[in-house]
Amino acid sequence: MTKETIQKEHRILQLKYAVLAVVVGICVGIVDTIFGRGLLAISDLRTAYWQYLLPFLPLSGLLIVWMYHHFSTLSLNGMSLIFETGQKKRDQIPLVLVPLVMIGTWITHLFGGSAGREGVAVQIGATLSHEAGRRLHIRERKPVMLITGMA
């Protein structure tokens, strides 16, 4: 291969990544907006009715554990899945992680539990972006799609 051919292929790859980054950014932005708006609504509801909701916090924890065990025990690993995939120790992230972390966080916040928001958004982005790259058969030496979704 000549140097010009390599440069041309490199520019095409960069263009592909730029287009994918925009598409992934829009999709992840939509899902993260739904997640964030849901949290705001849930926080308002919890603030108004905390005395009725707080006693059910232990049961909500059991519900969340049941959801993970019923739908995807692997998803219990959360951010570890993302890191392992980025380090090439794992091939894929279960797509079911997205609704599980969203619903689990909503339930936790509704009943007065403490859970992060930003980590969930990162997990959503990484999972959706990695899945898009996998479905589009993008073979990567470095986890560009995963990192794109996390950003």
mmCIF file of all heavy atoms in Angstrom, residues 38-57 60 63-64 102-115 117:
data_model
loop_
_atom_site.group_PDB
_atom_site.id
_atom_site.type_symbol
_atom_site.label_atom_id
_atom_site.label_comp_id
_atom_site.label_asym_id
_atom_site.label_seq_id
_atom_site.Cartn_x
_atom_site.Cartn_y
_atom_site.Cartn_z
ATOM 1 N N GLY A 38 -37.157 11.716 33.732
ATOM 2 C CA GLY A 38 -37.811 10.772 34.631
ATOM 3 C C GLY A 38 -37.351 10.969 36.065
ATOM 4 O O GLY A 38 -38.161 10.957 37.000
ATOM 5 N N LEU A 39 -36.054 11.175 36.250
ATOM 6 C CA LEU A 39 -35.524 11.411 37.594
ATOM 7 C C LEU A 39 -36.089 12.684 38.208
ATOM 8 O O LEU A 39 -36.396 12.729 39.404
ATOM 9 C CB LEU A 39 -33.995 11.497 37.567
ATOM 10 C CG LEU A 39 -33.245 10.188 37.675
ATOM 11 C CD1 LEU A 39 -31.745 10.427 37.552
ATOM 12 C CD2 LEU A 39 -33.551 9.459 38.951
ATOM 13 N N LEU A 40 -36.212 13.729 37.409
ATOM 14 C CA LEU A 40 -36.771 14.985 37.922
ATOM 15 C C LEU A 40 -38.221 14.796 38.372
ATOM 16 O O LEU A 40 -38.613 15.264 39.448
ATOM 17 C CB LEU A 40 -36.672 16.087 36.864
ATOM 18 C CG LEU A 40 -35.260 16.560 36.530
ATOM 19 C CD1 LEU A 40 -35.294 17.538 35.353
ATOM 20 C CD2 LEU A 40 -34.595 17.200 37.740
ATOM 21 N N ALA A 41 -38.998 14.103 37.563
ATOM 22 C CA ALA A 41 -40.402 13.857 37.914
ATOM 23 C C ALA A 41 -40.503 12.981 39.165
ATOM 24 O O ALA A 41 -41.314 13.237 40.059
ATOM 25 C CB ALA A 41 -41.128 13.204 36.738
ATOM 26 N N ILE A 42 -39.673 11.967 39.221
ATOM 27 C CA ILE A 42 -39.667 11.065 40.368
ATOM 28 C C ILE A 42 -39.231 11.803 41.633
ATOM 29 O O ILE A 42 -39.794 11.589 42.711
ATOM 30 C CB ILE A 42 -38.780 9.840 40.075
ATOM 31 C CG1 ILE A 42 -39.517 8.904 39.117
ATOM 32 C CG2 ILE A 42 -38.376 9.110 41.342
ATOM 33 C CD1 ILE A 42 -38.684 7.829 38.510
ATOM 34 N N SER A 43 -38.253 12.672 41.512
ATOM 35 C CA SER A 43 -37.791 13.444 42.674
ATOM 36 C C SER A 43 -38.897 14.351 43.202
ATOM 37 O O SER A 43 -39.073 14.502 44.411
ATOM 38 C CB SER A 43 -36.569 14.279 42.310
ATOM 39 O OG SER A 43 -35.484 13.438 42.027
ATOM 40 N N ASP A 44 -39.657 14.963 42.284
ATOM 41 C CA ASP A 44 -40.790 15.795 42.705
ATOM 42 C C ASP A 44 -41.839 14.965 43.435
ATOM 43 O O ASP A 44 -42.373 15.379 44.464
ATOM 44 C CB ASP A 44 -41.434 16.486 41.497
ATOM 45 C CG ASP A 44 -40.546 17.564 40.901
ATOM 46 O OD1 ASP A 44 -39.588 18.006 41.590
ATOM 47 O OD2 ASP A 44 -40.795 17.966 39.746
ATOM 48 N N LEU A 45 -42.134 13.783 42.908
ATOM 49 C CA LEU A 45 -43.101 12.895 43.534
ATOM 50 C C LEU A 45 -42.630 12.439 44.907
ATOM 51 O O LEU A 45 -43.384 12.463 45.881
ATOM 52 C CB LEU A 45 -43.352 11.682 42.628
ATOM 53 C CG LEU A 45 -44.429 10.705 43.064
ATOM 54 C CD1 LEU A 45 -45.798 11.371 43.043
ATOM 55 C CD2 LEU A 45 -44.422 9.500 42.151
ATOM 56 N N ARG A 46 -41.357 12.063 44.996
ATOM 57 C CA ARG A 46 -40.796 11.632 46.278
ATOM 58 C C ARG A 46 -40.825 12.761 47.300
ATOM 59 O O ARG A 46 -41.155 12.545 48.464
ATOM 60 C CB ARG A 46 -39.358 11.137 46.103
ATOM 61 C CG ARG A 46 -38.771 10.601 47.423
ATOM 62 C CD ARG A 46 -37.265 10.507 47.407
ATOM 63 N NE ARG A 46 -36.669 11.811 47.218
ATOM 64 C CZ ARG A 46 -35.854 12.128 46.218
ATOM 65 N NH1 ARG A 46 -35.530 11.239 45.316
ATOM 66 N NH2 ARG A 46 -35.351 13.330 46.111
ATOM 67 N N THR A 47 -40.508 13.969 46.873
ATOM 68 C CA THR A 47 -40.519 15.115 47.782
ATOM 69 C C THR A 47 -41.925 15.360 48.326
ATOM 70 O O THR A 47 -42.093 15.672 49.509
ATOM 71 C CB THR A 47 -40.000 16.374 47.057
ATOM 72 O OG1 THR A 47 -38.659 16.110 46.614
ATOM 73 C CG2 THR A 47 -39.996 17.577 47.970
ATOM 74 N N ALA A 48 -42.920 15.187 47.484
ATOM 75 C CA ALA A 48 -44.298 15.431 47.908
ATOM 76 C C ALA A 48 -44.838 14.331 48.820
ATOM 77 O O ALA A 48 -45.632 14.604 49.717
ATOM 78 C CB ALA A 48 -45.196 15.579 46.682
ATOM 79 N N TYR A 49 -44.414 13.103 48.607
ATOM 80 C CA TYR A 49 -45.002 11.969 49.332
ATOM 81 C C TYR A 49 -43.960 11.114 50.053
ATOM 82 O O TYR A 49 -44.167 9.919 50.241
ATOM 83 C CB TYR A 49 -45.799 11.092 48.357
ATOM 84 C CG TYR A 49 -46.916 11.829 47.688
ATOM 85 C CD1 TYR A 49 -46.793 12.255 46.375
ATOM 86 C CD2 TYR A 49 -48.088 12.122 48.376
ATOM 87 C CE1 TYR A 49 -47.816 12.951 45.746
ATOM 88 C CE2 TYR A 49 -49.122 12.812 47.761
ATOM 89 C CZ TYR A 49 -48.976 13.225 46.448
ATOM 90 O OH TYR A 49 -49.989 13.918 45.844
ATOM 91 N N TRP A 50 -42.861 11.696 50.468
ATOM 92 C CA TRP A 50 -41.766 10.930 51.043
ATOM 93 C C TRP A 50 -42.192 10.087 52.238
ATOM 94 O O TRP A 50 -41.718 8.983 52.426
ATOM 95 C CB TRP A 50 -40.596 11.844 51.427
ATOM 96 C CG TRP A 50 -40.913 12.779 52.559
ATOM 97 C CD1 TRP A 50 -41.414 14.035 52.459
ATOM 98 C CD2 TRP A 50 -40.774 12.513 53.946
ATOM 99 N NE1 TRP A 50 -41.598 14.585 53.699
ATOM 100 C CE2 TRP A 50 -41.207 13.658 54.647
ATOM 101 C CE3 TRP A 50 -40.317 11.424 54.684
ATOM 102 C CZ2 TRP A 50 -41.204 13.754 56.025
ATOM 103 C CZ3 TRP A 50 -40.304 11.517 56.065
ATOM 104 C CH2 TRP A 50 -40.754 12.661 56.724
ATOM 105 N N GLN A 51 -43.085 10.588 53.068
ATOM 106 C CA GLN A 51 -43.479 9.847 54.267
ATOM 107 C C GLN A 51 -44.229 8.549 53.933
ATOM 108 O O GLN A 51 -44.213 7.607 54.712
ATOM 109 C CB GLN A 51 -44.301 10.726 55.224
ATOM 110 C CG GLN A 51 -45.653 11.154 54.729
ATOM 111 C CD GLN A 51 -45.638 12.447 53.909
ATOM 112 O OE1 GLN A 51 -44.636 12.835 53.322
ATOM 113 N NE2 GLN A 51 -46.778 13.104 53.852
ATOM 114 N N TYR A 52 -44.840 8.507 52.763
ATOM 115 C CA TYR A 52 -45.536 7.282 52.343
ATOM 116 C C TYR A 52 -44.611 6.338 51.573
ATOM 117 O O TYR A 52 -44.832 5.125 51.562
ATOM 118 C CB TYR A 52 -46.747 7.633 51.462
ATOM 119 C CG TYR A 52 -47.714 8.560 52.133
ATOM 120 C CD1 TYR A 52 -47.847 9.877 51.701
ATOM 121 C CD2 TYR A 52 -48.482 8.140 53.221
ATOM 122 C CE1 TYR A 52 -48.730 10.748 52.319
ATOM 123 C CE2 TYR A 52 -49.364 9.005 53.853
ATOM 124 C CZ TYR A 52 -49.482 10.299 53.397
ATOM 125 O OH TYR A 52 -50.340 11.165 54.014
ATOM 126 N N LEU A 53 -43.619 6.896 50.903
ATOM 127 C CA LEU A 53 -42.744 6.095 50.038
ATOM 128 C C LEU A 53 -41.541 5.499 50.773
ATOM 129 O O LEU A 53 -41.140 4.367 50.488
ATOM 130 C CB LEU A 53 -42.254 6.951 48.864
ATOM 131 C CG LEU A 53 -43.343 7.419 47.901
ATOM 132 C CD1 LEU A 53 -42.791 8.458 46.944
ATOM 133 C CD2 LEU A 53 -43.915 6.239 47.144
ATOM 134 N N LEU A 54 -40.980 6.251 51.698
ATOM 135 C CA LEU A 54 -39.756 5.828 52.384
ATOM 136 C C LEU A 54 -39.859 4.454 53.068
ATOM 137 O O LEU A 54 -38.914 3.662 52.977
ATOM 138 C CB LEU A 54 -39.320 6.894 53.392
ATOM 139 C CG LEU A 54 -37.926 6.717 53.981
ATOM 140 C CD1 LEU A 54 -36.868 6.747 52.892
ATOM 141 C CD2 LEU A 54 -37.654 7.803 55.010
ATOM 142 N N PRO A 55 -40.980 4.107 53.694
ATOM 143 C CA PRO A 55 -41.057 2.781 54.326
ATOM 144 C C PRO A 55 -40.901 1.606 53.349
ATOM 145 O O PRO A 55 -40.566 0.500 53.754
ATOM 146 C CB PRO A 55 -42.446 2.759 54.973
ATOM 147 C CG PRO A 55 -42.781 4.195 55.179
ATOM 148 C CD PRO A 55 -42.143 4.926 54.034
ATOM 149 N N PHE A 56 -41.115 1.873 52.060
ATOM 150 C CA PHE A 56 -41.021 0.805 51.062
ATOM 151 C C PHE A 56 -39.633 0.698 50.424
ATOM 152 O O PHE A 56 -39.432 -0.094 49.503
ATOM 153 C CB PHE A 56 -42.087 1.007 49.975
ATOM 154 C CG PHE A 56 -43.488 0.858 50.511
ATOM 155 C CD1 PHE A 56 -44.236 1.988 50.822
ATOM 156 C CD2 PHE A 56 -44.023 -0.391 50.726
ATOM 157 C CE1 PHE A 56 -45.511 1.855 51.330
ATOM 158 C CE2 PHE A 56 -45.302 -0.537 51.232
ATOM 159 C CZ PHE A 56 -46.047 0.594 51.539
ATOM 160 N N LEU A 57 -38.676 1.463 50.941
ATOM 161 C CA LEU A 57 -37.311 1.422 50.401
ATOM 162 C C LEU A 57 -36.708 0.016 50.433
ATOM 163 O O LEU A 57 -36.153 -0.439 49.425
ATOM 164 C CB LEU A 57 -36.403 2.425 51.121
ATOM 165 C CG LEU A 57 -34.963 2.503 50.633
ATOM 166 C CD1 LEU A 57 -34.898 2.854 49.151
ATOM 167 C CD2 LEU A 57 -34.186 3.517 51.463
ATOM 168 N N SER A 60 -38.223 -2.007 47.717
ATOM 169 C CA SER A 60 -37.779 -1.550 46.389
ATOM 170 C C SER A 60 -36.394 -2.126 46.076
ATOM 171 O O SER A 60 -36.113 -2.472 44.928
ATOM 172 C CB SER A 60 -37.781 -0.026 46.299
ATOM 173 O OG SER A 60 -36.770 0.543 47.087
ATOM 174 N N LEU A 63 -36.911 -5.568 44.910
ATOM 175 C CA LEU A 63 -37.434 -5.548 43.545
ATOM 176 C C LEU A 63 -36.316 -5.350 42.527
ATOM 177 O O LEU A 63 -36.260 -6.027 41.496
ATOM 178 C CB LEU A 63 -38.487 -4.440 43.393
ATOM 179 C CG LEU A 63 -39.011 -4.197 41.975
ATOM 180 C CD1 LEU A 63 -39.731 -5.428 41.444
ATOM 181 C CD2 LEU A 63 -39.926 -2.973 41.960
ATOM 182 N N ILE A 64 -35.400 -4.452 42.831
ATOM 183 C CA ILE A 64 -34.281 -4.186 41.922
ATOM 184 C C ILE A 64 -33.395 -5.419 41.790
ATOM 185 O O ILE A 64 -33.005 -5.805 40.683
ATOM 186 C CB ILE A 64 -33.475 -2.956 42.399
ATOM 187 C CG1 ILE A 64 -34.338 -1.699 42.275
ATOM 188 C CG2 ILE A 64 -32.183 -2.809 41.616
ATOM 189 C CD1 ILE A 64 -33.780 -0.482 42.986
ATOM 190 N N MET A 102 -31.677 2.192 34.271
ATOM 191 C CA MET A 102 -32.625 3.311 34.307
ATOM 192 C C MET A 102 -33.737 3.049 35.319
ATOM 193 O O MET A 102 -33.982 3.862 36.217
ATOM 194 C CB MET A 102 -33.235 3.552 32.919
ATOM 195 C CG MET A 102 -32.282 4.185 31.944
ATOM 196 S SD MET A 102 -32.962 4.350 30.274
ATOM 197 C CE MET A 102 -34.268 5.527 30.528
ATOM 198 N N ILE A 103 -34.383 1.919 35.189
ATOM 199 C CA ILE A 103 -35.509 1.595 36.065
ATOM 200 C C ILE A 103 -35.033 1.422 37.508
ATOM 201 O O ILE A 103 -35.680 1.895 38.441
ATOM 202 C CB ILE A 103 -36.248 0.339 35.549
ATOM 203 C CG1 ILE A 103 -36.925 0.665 34.205
ATOM 204 C CG2 ILE A 103 -37.270 -0.153 36.562
ATOM 205 C CD1 ILE A 103 -37.432 -0.553 33.457
ATOM 206 N N GLY A 104 -33.892 0.758 37.682
ATOM 207 C CA GLY A 104 -33.352 0.580 39.029
ATOM 208 C C GLY A 104 -33.059 1.911 39.710
ATOM 209 O O GLY A 104 -33.350 2.097 40.893
ATOM 210 N N THR A 105 -32.497 2.845 38.968
ATOM 211 C CA THR A 105 -32.196 4.164 39.536
ATOM 212 C C THR A 105 -33.477 4.931 39.819
ATOM 213 O O THR A 105 -33.595 5.597 40.853
ATOM 214 C CB THR A 105 -31.277 4.963 38.585
ATOM 215 O OG1 THR A 105 -30.105 4.187 38.336
ATOM 216 C CG2 THR A 105 -30.891 6.295 39.189
ATOM 217 N N TRP A 106 -34.445 4.847 38.924
ATOM 218 C CA TRP A 106 -35.732 5.513 39.167
ATOM 219 C C TRP A 106 -36.391 4.978 40.437
ATOM 220 O O TRP A 106 -36.879 5.745 41.259
ATOM 221 C CB TRP A 106 -36.665 5.319 37.981
ATOM 222 C CG TRP A 106 -36.335 6.146 36.772
ATOM 223 C CD1 TRP A 106 -35.568 7.272 36.722
ATOM 224 C CD2 TRP A 106 -36.767 5.900 35.443
ATOM 225 N NE1 TRP A 106 -35.502 7.746 35.436
ATOM 226 C CE2 TRP A 106 -36.233 6.920 34.627
ATOM 227 C CE3 TRP A 106 -37.555 4.919 34.857
ATOM 228 C CZ2 TRP A 106 -36.472 6.992 33.254
ATOM 229 C CZ3 TRP A 106 -37.793 4.993 33.494
ATOM 230 C CH2 TRP A 106 -37.257 6.015 32.696
ATOM 231 N N ILE A 107 -36.410 3.662 40.576
ATOM 232 C CA ILE A 107 -37.025 3.056 41.766
ATOM 233 C C ILE A 107 -36.278 3.487 43.025
ATOM 234 O O ILE A 107 -36.901 3.845 44.035
ATOM 235 C CB ILE A 107 -37.051 1.509 41.635
ATOM 236 C CG1 ILE A 107 -38.034 1.085 40.545
ATOM 237 C CG2 ILE A 107 -37.419 0.851 42.967
ATOM 238 C CD1 ILE A 107 -37.953 -0.393 40.182
ATOM 239 N N THR A 108 -34.964 3.455 42.968
ATOM 240 C CA THR A 108 -34.153 3.851 44.129
ATOM 241 C C THR A 108 -34.469 5.283 44.547
ATOM 242 O O THR A 108 -34.700 5.570 45.727
ATOM 243 C CB THR A 108 -32.648 3.719 43.810
ATOM 244 O OG1 THR A 108 -32.375 2.357 43.461
ATOM 245 C CG2 THR A 108 -31.792 4.124 44.996
ATOM 246 N N HIS A 109 -34.494 6.187 43.586
ATOM 247 C CA HIS A 109 -34.775 7.595 43.893
ATOM 248 C C HIS A 109 -36.209 7.789 44.375
ATOM 249 O O HIS A 109 -36.454 8.611 45.272
ATOM 250 C CB HIS A 109 -34.502 8.473 42.673
ATOM 251 C CG HIS A 109 -33.054 8.782 42.479
ATOM 252 N ND1 HIS A 109 -32.491 9.963 42.873
ATOM 253 C CD2 HIS A 109 -32.049 8.043 41.949
ATOM 254 C CE1 HIS A 109 -31.198 9.957 42.588
ATOM 255 N NE2 HIS A 109 -30.911 8.795 42.027
ATOM 256 N N LEU A 110 -37.141 7.072 43.794
ATOM 257 C CA LEU A 110 -38.543 7.219 44.186
ATOM 258 C C LEU A 110 -38.751 6.906 45.661
ATOM 259 O O LEU A 110 -39.467 7.624 46.366
ATOM 260 C CB LEU A 110 -39.440 6.310 43.334
ATOM 261 C CG LEU A 110 -40.929 6.318 43.697
ATOM 262 C CD1 LEU A 110 -41.539 7.701 43.482
ATOM 263 C CD2 LEU A 110 -41.674 5.270 42.883
ATOM 264 N N PHE A 111 -38.114 5.870 46.134
ATOM 265 C CA PHE A 111 -38.344 5.443 47.514
ATOM 266 C C PHE A 111 -37.315 6.001 48.510
ATOM 267 O O PHE A 111 -37.260 5.568 49.646
ATOM 268 C CB PHE A 111 -38.409 3.918 47.581
ATOM 269 C CG PHE A 111 -39.637 3.379 46.898
ATOM 270 C CD1 PHE A 111 -39.567 2.866 45.614
ATOM 271 C CD2 PHE A 111 -40.873 3.440 47.529
ATOM 272 C CE1 PHE A 111 -40.699 2.394 44.978
ATOM 273 C CE2 PHE A 111 -42.020 2.974 46.892
ATOM 274 C CZ PHE A 111 -41.930 2.450 45.615
ATOM 275 N N GLY A 112 -36.512 6.967 48.058
ATOM 276 C CA GLY A 112 -35.626 7.665 48.985
ATOM 277 C C GLY A 112 -34.231 7.100 49.107
ATOM 278 O O GLY A 112 -33.480 7.503 49.990
ATOM 279 N N GLY A 113 -33.862 6.188 48.230
ATOM 280 C CA GLY A 113 -32.520 5.631 48.266
ATOM 281 C C GLY A 113 -31.515 6.576 47.633
ATOM 282 O O GLY A 113 -31.872 7.589 47.036
ATOM 283 N N SER A 114 -30.264 6.246 47.795
ATOM 284 C CA SER A 114 -29.188 7.062 47.256
ATOM 285 C C SER A 114 -28.532 6.315 46.108
ATOM 286 O O SER A 114 -28.017 5.216 46.291
ATOM 287 C CB SER A 114 -28.159 7.352 48.357
ATOM 288 O OG SER A 114 -27.082 8.077 47.833
ATOM 289 N N ALA A 115 -28.570 6.913 44.938
ATOM 290 C CA ALA A 115 -27.938 6.308 43.760
ATOM 291 C C ALA A 115 -27.432 7.426 42.867
ATOM 292 O O ALA A 115 -28.037 8.491 42.777
ATOM 293 C CB ALA A 115 -28.945 5.450 43.004
ATOM 294 N N ARG A 117 -26.351 9.421 39.381
ATOM 295 C CA ARG A 117 -27.020 9.694 38.112
ATOM 296 C C ARG A 117 -26.033 9.671 36.957
ATOM 297 O O ARG A 117 -26.333 9.154 35.888
ATOM 298 C CB ARG A 117 -27.689 11.071 38.162
ATOM 299 C CG ARG A 117 -28.722 11.193 39.251
ATOM 300 C CD ARG A 117 -29.137 12.630 39.458
ATOM 301 N NE ARG A 117 -30.110 12.730 40.536
ATOM 302 C CZ ARG A 117 -31.214 13.435 40.460
ATOM 303 N NH1 ARG A 117 -31.483 14.123 39.381
ATOM 304 N NH2 ARG A 117 -32.047 13.465 41.461
#
